[in-house]
Amino acid sequence: MKRDSWGKILLGLTTGAAFGFLLHKGRAAEHEAISGQLLFEDASVIKIMATASAVGALGTYALNALDLVDLKIKPLNTGGVVLGGTLFGAGMALLGYCPGTSMAAIGQGHADAAAGAAGMLGGAMAYVKAYPHIKPIIEKGSTGKQTLPEITDTSPWLWVAGLAGAVALGAGLQARNRNNADNSERQGLTDLAPRSDIV
Amino acid sequence: MAVLRRKKWSPYTVGAAIGVLETVAMLTAKKPLGITTPFEQAAVMVAEKVAPEAMQVDDYKAQSGMEPSIGWEWGLVGGVVLGSLVSARLSNDPIPPAVPDAWREKIGASPGLRIGAAASGGALMMFGARMAKGCTSGHGISGTMQLAASSWLFNPIIFAAGAAVAKALLGRKS
């Protein structure tokens, strides 16, 4: 059995611990987070993902411009992404957690997430068994490792700026709405107690 | 450090911090965050130990060119469990019920049914993740931030399929 150095595994453990800590603080490790997102009742998960993507894009493309990192692009296997994405979405709705948040949910003590993880190992075994037979379906319509700037022949910074701008706009709109809601609450004298819970 | 004990951080704060963490991972480990690859590697290892012939492991290896190894990603997965545990204890969260509230209201209080559904959902989700070569982390955040075309295709598909199934299962009946 092959194994990386313990230093690398420890680096992964530390990075993962920070990731899990953040997922829990964002309340993404709750069943309500993913299911609420899929029912359009709670947009926390999409806000976390979009903000992480925008900030990560700024960092990664800046480091890439300095030749400090290489991009790790997953191939555009149209069959695998479309069929796999459909199965993934259906399974995620049934489980109520995604792979990362199910690990965080286990840390928080969700018994159903532990059952989900056992199922995930089973699903991976089924995939290993099925792979030689479904490989042609997965690779159907494959166009290789492509990025949006490559396909459209544009600067990646245009996309990074668009992504960051969209997230900043969303965050700004939410801050304004919350201020308005606070003000109207105060005008209506519905709640005179200090709002220590809103930071 | 009262901030570490707080029960909830703003999703924008959490998202920005995950974005920084992604950048640090790209710099230190030379790869972005992802959860499902070690599950495929673990599956190969288990298959090799238990039933290499029935599972056609050699066939899988020849076709995929993958040789499983325990590495950074394995630490990452274990770390997520650990980090969430630490945060939950600092926030003094109660241990959650085995059957989530929304599920109990719409489907039933049976823990057996919930556990079975969770395991089936996990299996389906992982099979799909490996077909697409990524999950909500690997495609959803890591792939979209790198502007990978595959990831920008994956995201709308998982949310559309997920929304349809969630509506059928848990949607309000009105």
Side-chain angles (χ1 to χ4, degrees), chain B residues 38-141:
Chain B
F39 278 87
E40 184 173 337
Q41 294 177 331
V44 177
M45 288 177 183
V46 172
E48 233 167 7
K49 272 253 152 61
V50 179
E53 305 219 332
M55 289 290 294
Q56 298 168 299
V57 178
D58 287 342
D59 213 7
Y60 161 85
K61 280 187 174 175
Q63 299 260 2
S64 69
M66 201 167 93
E67 191 61 46
S69 74
I70 297 176
W72 182 82
E73 290 93 342
W74 290 61
L76 192 78
V77 169
V80 173
V81 178
L82 203 66
S84 171
L85 190 149
V86 169
S87 174
R89 290 307 101 222
L90 283 173
S91 304
N92 215 2
D93 275 9
I95 295 296
V99 183
D101 292 345
W103 184 279
R104 198 178 52 238
E105 267 170 41
K106 297 290 175 191
I107 295 173
S110 155
L113 180 65
R114 173 59 195 152
I115 294 296
S120 321
L124 208 59
M125 178 171 80
M126 180 58 65
F127 195 94
R130 294 326 303 159
M131 278 185 81
K133 293 199 186 302
C135 64
T136 0
S137 306
H139 268 308
I141 300 174

Side-chain angles (χ1 to χ4, degrees), chain A residues 2 4 12-13 17 24-25 27 52-53 61 68 72 74 94-95 98 104 112 119-120 129 135 146-148, chain B residues 4 6-7 9 15 30 54 63 70 76 79 84 87 91 93 114 123 126 133 136 144 146-147 149-150:
Chain A
K2 288 203 307 182
D4 283 355
L13 191 76
H24 177 265
K25 283 290 181 245
R27 306 313 299 187
S53 177
Y61 272 94
L68 290 172
K72 295 271 183 264
K74 295 173 193 296
L94 193 54
L95 174 56
C98 70
D112 56 346
M120 282 159 69
K129 167 87 180 171
K135 190 182 178 196
Q146 282 186 306
T147 66
L148 298 176
Chain B
L4 298 180
R6 206 169 285 157
K7 287 204 181 281
W9 291 0
K30 301 293 168 202
Q63 299 260 2
I70 297 176
L76 192 78
S84 171
S87 174
S91 304
D93 275 9
R114 173 59 195 152
M126 180 58 65
K133 293 199 186 302
T136 0
T144 58
Q146 298 182 76
L147 306 174
S150 52

Side-chain angles (χ1 to χ4, degrees), chain A residues 77-146:
Chain A
N77 293 330
T78 311
V81 170
V82 172
L83 289 175
T86 306
L87 294 178
F88 184 96
M92 176 169 70
L94 193 54
L95 174 56
Y97 310 98
C98 70
T101 60
S102 69
M103 295 300 115
I106 291 174
Q108 202 191 334
H110 284 278
D112 56 346
M120 282 159 69
L121 187 62
M125 304 231 6
Y127 173 80
V128 167
K129 167 87 180 171
Y131 182 77
H133 310 286
I134 60 173
K135 190 182 178 196
I137 303 171
I138 293 176
E139 290 176 358
K140 203 161 190 79
S142 177
T143 54
K145 301 181 178 185
Q146 282 186 306

Side-chain angles (χ1 to χ4, degrees), chain A residues 151-184:
Chain A
I151 291 175
T152 54
D153 198 18
T154 46
S155 160
W157 291 104
L158 202 69
W159 295 84
V160 175
L163 189 56
V167 170
L169 188 70
L173 283 177
Q174 176 173 316
R176 205 182 64 176
N177 286 343
R178 199 169 53 191
N179 281 340
N180 288 346
D182 283 358
N183 288 340
S184 56

